């Protein structure tokens, strides 16, 4: 404990000395550049400096081994670092699929050469990753995917189409599933491949969403040559890797919507409460409408309880526990919580939430409707709620088919 107290004090001193003042308290909506990569643009330029400082220390990935660019911290030390950053209102220097999805998967399944090649670049935020799983005919039935990888010597040639590829247009590399043995049972003929998006034959086309933004793309592969050294866990053994990565993805989604990111509070309460106080009648500090007040209180209680549960799972993950099928429970709960929160926000704002663009509405109001519409996708991305309920029934509760 004494060691941990010393570590806490040293960490706090280091953060105070090294964090650029301009990044303190930066809102999550201004963290776009934090995804890193060659095409990163920073709403707050000092965030780039912060990424470089933390990347050099390995504290973008605090628990990853130092030899792969991480901080080599113990789970307890990493928790102290996160706590001190939160107290000082210092935002994370780096977020994204490198840290949360492909990095942990490579740590588990990658060869030493793959780890040495990719993990340090993830830690320094040099490369942004996207995910090439879904296809026009393979979403929930992911193992039905058709993108083909034909082996030719020490390369494979990939042809096929991936869809709903989040941020493909902003990413440098993609981790993708391709069929390398069409004769095998469908789960057994799949390989997990790392592909440089700059390889000839890769093209992306943004897709417009109901929220008005285009965060994801259709990604097409036309005779794309990829070295076999980029196959993770060996040819035709990609399904195991794919499932492990989905566990990390579902934990990340739960963390973002229900744990760390969901319903963040300031001294004036959650965003939901602040919004309600602004738009509906109050009785002192209280929302006057009893029904709305009750629904907001329930949402806040559920969010708080869930955040604590996620924290417990996060601690277990730092101690080396790989997320299993139970991550599906978190995914369903977190996404439903987030959707409920956005519905309440729109309801509380009333007519102020009807704006789409143009004058007459503030920036926060214009974002409300779009964020609410975006939240509809939460129960689809990373595997739909129905599919998660099937996983929970079969693999957590052990119910028969
Ligand atoms: C915002 C967002 C971001 C995404 N980002 C990515 C990404 O970066 N990379 C990527 O590869 N994919 C991504 N996806 C795709 C996502 O993984 C798929 O949309 C999802 O797996 C569902 O597949 P589908 O759209 O083909 O729907 P379908 O599989 O066609 O499902 C249609 C409906 O049928 C239901 N259904 C299907 N099978 C069953 C079953 N066995 N039992 C009960 N109900 C069933 C589903 O629940 C759903 O309601 C993203 C999706 C969204 C919405």
């Amino acid at each position: 404990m004494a060691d941990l107290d010393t570590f806490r004090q040293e960490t706090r001193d280091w953060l105070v000395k090294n964090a650029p003042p301009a990044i303190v308290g930066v809102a999550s909506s201004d963290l776009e550049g934090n995804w890193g990569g060659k095409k990163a643009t920073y709403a707050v330029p000092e965030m780039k400096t912060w990424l470089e400082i933390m990347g050099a220390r390995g504290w973008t990935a605090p628990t990853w081994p130092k030899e792969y660019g991480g901080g080599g911290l113990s789970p307890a030390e990493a928790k102290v670092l996160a706590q001190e950053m939160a107290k000082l209102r210092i935002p994370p220097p780096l977020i994204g699929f490198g840290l949360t999805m492909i990095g942990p998967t490579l740590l588990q399944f990658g060869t030493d050469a793959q780890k040495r090649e990719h993990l340090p670049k993830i830690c320094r935020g040099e490369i942004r990753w996207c995910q090439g799983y879904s296809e026009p005919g393979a979403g929930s039935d992911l193992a039905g995917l058709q993108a083909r990888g034909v082996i030719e010597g020490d390369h494979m040639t990939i042809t096929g189409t991936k869809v709903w590829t989040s941020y493909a247009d902003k990413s440098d590399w993609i981790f993708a599933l391709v069929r390398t043995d069409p004769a095998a049972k469908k789960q057994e003929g799949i390989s997990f491949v790392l592909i440089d998006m700059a390889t000839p034959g890769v093209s992306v086309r943004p897709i417009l969403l109901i929220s008005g933004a285009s965060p994801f793309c259709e990604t097409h592969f036309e005779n794309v040559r990829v070295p076999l050294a980029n196959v993770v866990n060996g040819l035709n053994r990609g399904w195991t890797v794919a499932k492990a990565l989905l566990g990390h993805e579902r934990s990340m989604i739960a963390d973002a919507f229900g744990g760390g990111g969901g319903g963040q509070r300031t001294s004036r309460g959650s965003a939901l409460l602040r919004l309600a106080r602004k738009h509906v009648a109050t009785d002192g500090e209280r929302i006057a409408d009893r029904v709305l007040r009750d629904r907001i209180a329930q949402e806040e209680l559920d969010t708080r309880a869930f955040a604590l549960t996620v924290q417990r799972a996060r601690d277990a993950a730092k101690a080396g526990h790989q997320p299993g099928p139970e991550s599906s429970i978190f995914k369903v709960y977190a996404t439903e919580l987030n959707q409920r929160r956005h519905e309440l926000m729109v309801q509380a704002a009333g007519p102020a939430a009807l704006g789409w663009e143009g004058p007459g509405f503030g920036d926060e109001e214009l974002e409300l409707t779009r964020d609410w519409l975006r939240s509809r996708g939460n129960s689809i991305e990373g595997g739909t709620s129905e599919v998660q309920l099937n996983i929970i029934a079969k693999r957590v509760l052990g119910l028969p088919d």
Side-chain angles (χ1 to χ4, degrees), residues 131 133-134 139-140 164-166 216 374 377 380-381 384 386 390:
Q131 176 186 33
Y133 273 29
S134 308
S140 301
W164 319 127
T165 331
S166 299
F216 51 35
R374 171 63 185 83
I380 303 174
E381 59 197 304
T384 66
E386 291 78 12
N390 282 347

Side-chain angles (χ1 to χ4, degrees), residues 27-40:
S28 55
S29 54
D30 283 333
L31 292 179
E32 172 57 29
N34 280 38
W35 287 74
K38 294 177 184 161
K39 301 172 198 162

Side-chain angles (χ1 to χ4, degrees), residues 132-200:
Y133 273 29
S134 308
E135 298 184 2
S140 301
D141 180 22
L142 184 59
L145 61 94
Q146 296 296 322
R148 278 294 312 275
V150 178
I151 315 301
E152 292 160 343
D154 61 355
H155 278 70
M156 78 166 71
T157 302
I158 300 175
T159 299
T161 300
K162 297 290 174 181
V163 74
W164 319 127
T165 331
S166 299
Y167 311 115
D169 51 343
K170 297 189 166 86
S171 297
D172 309 299
W173 278 67
I174 183 169
F175 50 89
L177 298 175
V178 295
R179 184 160 302 287
T180 38
D181 183 356
K185 252 178 66 184
K186 58 184 187 177
Q187 281 89 349
E188 289 166 15
I190 292 171
S191 298
F192 188 105
V193 196
L194 312 175
I195 306 167
D196 185 342
M197 297 288 278
T199 315

Side-chain angles (χ1 to χ4, degrees), residues 1 13-14 51 53 56 67 83 114 141 157 182 210 213-214 244-245 279 293 308-309 330 338 364 374 401:
M1 275 314 273
D13 292 346
W14 186 88
L51 169 60
I53 293 170
E67 59 187 311
Q83 286 170 343
Q114 287 168 341
D141 180 22
T157 302
I210 190 174
S214 294
L245 186 136
H279 291 283
R293 190 168 77 215
L308 291 170
T309 310
F330 282 11
N338 197 48
E364 190 186 46
R374 171 63 185 83
D401 275 341

Side-chain angles (χ1 to χ4, degrees), residues 96-288:
F97 300 166
L99 277 184
T100 53
M101 290 204 256
I102 187 64
T105 306
L106 283 179
L107 278 170
Q108 192 180 354
F109 293 98
T111 61
D112 192 50
Q114 287 168 341
K115 290 179 198 169
R116 285 187 191 284
E117 171 64 23
H118 297 291
L119 297 180
K121 290 179 187 166
I122 292 175
C123 292
R124 293 192 298 265
E126 290 171 11
I127 297 294
R128 181 167 176 170
W129 285 85
C130 62
Q131 176 186 33
Y133 273 29
S134 308
E135 298 184 2
S140 301
D141 180 22
L142 184 59
L145 61 94
Q146 296 296 322
R148 278 294 312 275
V150 178
I151 315 301
E152 292 160 343
D154 61 355
H155 278 70
M156 78 166 71
T157 302
I158 300 175
T159 299
T161 300
K162 297 290 174 181
V163 74
W164 319 127
T165 331
S166 299
Y167 311 115
D169 51 343
K170 297 189 166 86
S171 297
D172 309 299
W173 278 67
I174 183 169
F175 50 89
L177 298 175
V178 295
R179 184 160 302 287
T180 38
D181 183 356
K185 252 178 66 184
K186 58 184 187 177
Q187 281 89 349
E188 289 166 15
I190 292 171
S191 298
F192 188 105
V193 196
L194 312 175
I195 306 167
D196 185 342
M197 297 288 278
T199 315
V202 181
S203 57
V204 294
R205 194 174 61 85
I207 300 170
L208 192 63
L209 282 191
I210 190 174
S211 64
S214 294
F216 51 35
C217 304
E218 187 177 82
T219 305
H220 189 62
F221 299 89
E222 188 69 46
N223 292 320
V224 175
R225 271 170 64 81
V226 179
L228 288 187
N230 290 8
V231 174
V232 179
N233 200 38
L235 277 175
N236 304 318
R237 295 175 58 194
W239 190 243
T240 311
V241 188
K243 282 192 296 181
L245 186 136
L246 282 172
H248 291 296
E249 179 176 11
R250 287 164 190 162
S251 300
M252 179 265 293
I253 292 174
D255 202 17
F257 296 142
Q264 274 181 351
R265 297 183 67 86
T266 68
S267 54
R268 294 209 50 238
S270 68
L272 169 59
L273 197 53
R274 274 178 279 135
L275 188 97
R277 284 196 183 121
K278 185 172 161 192
H279 291 283
V280 301
T282 52
D283 169 11
E285 280 282 281
R286 296 195 324 171
I287 307 297

Side-chain angles (χ1 to χ4, degrees), residues 13-31:
D13 292 346
W14 186 88
L15 288 169
V16 169
K17 190 166 161 220
N18 288 280
I23 65 157
V24 174
V26 168
S28 55
S29 54
D30 283 333
L31 292 179

